[in-house]
Amino acid sequence: MSKNFICTVHKVRSYLPIRKAVHISGSLFPLMAIYFGKNVALGMVSSLLLLFLVTEFSKPLLTKYSLFQVLWRESEFRSFALAPFLYLISILFLLLLSFRLNESICYASIIVLTMGDGLSTIFGVHGKMCYKGSSKTLEGTLAGLIGAIIFSYPLVGYLSIVGGLVGMYLELKSKKLDNIIVPFSALVAMLIVQALVNAYI
């Protein structure tokens, strides 16, 4: 194994399976928007966001329930759960942007967040090849990239490669704000490439 991929940083060996299943299930929102309408998808995301906020502010009363424990990280028991909040906000804003921008690209950006980022964690915790100075793994990045491309390809074709590459690269580099950085970086990259292709080809 190359010295560049030897794990020198402590790597988390587990994740919350139900939380990741919920994360990946966000890929259903683009399908919901396509087959049932954007307003239905927006209504569902808004309802989930409201439910999340109610749950978050009721946290002291809910910590004793097992469902709460399998959805929240240990650090989130003591403070606001920023990651799931940003996750829902990103999906909400991308659905809103789909009214103004290319809707397929907006939906594909949601896929990069939900499927790409979700799979990168699932495969990454079992990975053996870490990036230098990082606990993230090559296996996780590749799984996220492949998942993002495959599942967004029916929506945007070759642009899925652009969105997947940019999204997963910044997932690798980002820390706490990946649920915002990953989808919107993928969105901007795909819009730029599409504009360049339309202008010069």
Side-chain angles (χ1 to χ4, degrees):
M1 183 187 297
S2 170
K3 291 182 179 180
N4 290 330
F5 292 105
I6 295 176
C7 296
T8 57
V9 178
H10 174 70
K11 185 161 72 72
V12 176
R13 295 288 179 178
S14 64
Y15 60 93
L16 298 170
I18 295 179
R19 180 180 173 125
K20 278 301 154 188
V22 171
H23 188 101
I24 290 175
S25 71
S27 299
L28 295 174
F29 286 112
L31 292 177
M32 192 181 299
I34 292 169
Y35 291 105
F36 300 104
K38 296 177 186 178
N39 290 331
V40 173
L42 278 169
M44 182 63 70
V45 176
S46 299
S47 298
L48 290 173
L49 181 59
L50 179 61
L51 177 61
F52 166 79
L53 292 173
V54 170
T55 302
E56 196 60 28
F57 289 113
S58 305
K59 187 180 291 186
L61 303 175
L62 299 174
T63 52
K64 60 183 179 181
Y65 295 104
S66 58
L67 176 62
F68 188 85
Q69 295 173 10
V70 299
L71 288 174
W72 264 247
R73 296 177 182 137
E74 186 177 347
S75 61
E76 293 170 342
F77 291 150
R78 302 182 298 273
S79 60
F80 185 78
L82 182 63
F85 174 72
L86 294 180
Y87 171 85
L88 290 169
I89 287 293
S90 290
I91 294 176
L92 178 65
F93 272 89
L94 286 166
L95 287 173
L96 289 171
L97 285 171
S98 71
F99 286 95
R100 295 288 184 181
L101 302 176
N102 183 303
E103 63 180 25
S104 294
I105 290 180
C106 292
Y107 298 158
S109 301
I110 294 175
I111 299 295
V112 174
L113 166 64
T114 56
M115 190 64 68
D117 189 34
L119 290 176
S120 70
T121 299
I122 293 173
F123 284 86
V125 297
H126 303 294
K128 305 294 184 183
M129 302 177 68
C130 295
Y131 295 100
K132 187 175 182 181
S134 173
S135 62
K136 295 186 177 183
T137 65
L138 177 62
E139 294 92 335
T141 300
L142 290 176
L145 176 61
I146 292 169
I149 292 173
I150 289 175
F151 287 96
S152 62
Y153 185 84
L155 295 169
V156 291
Y158 73 92
L159 288 175
S160 63
I161 300 173
V162 176
L165 284 171
V166 172
M168 289 303 97
Y169 174 75
L170 289 175
E171 190 278 332
L172 174 63
K173 297 295 183 181
S174 62
K175 300 295 182 181
K176 296 181 179 181
L177 301 179
D178 56 331
N179 284 343
I180 285 284
I181 293 172
V182 168
F184 286 99
S185 63
L187 175 74
V188 171
M190 287 188 282
L191 288 173
I192 290 174
V193 171
Q194 183 192 51
L196 291 173
V197 169
N198 290 341
Y200 294 104
I201 296 180

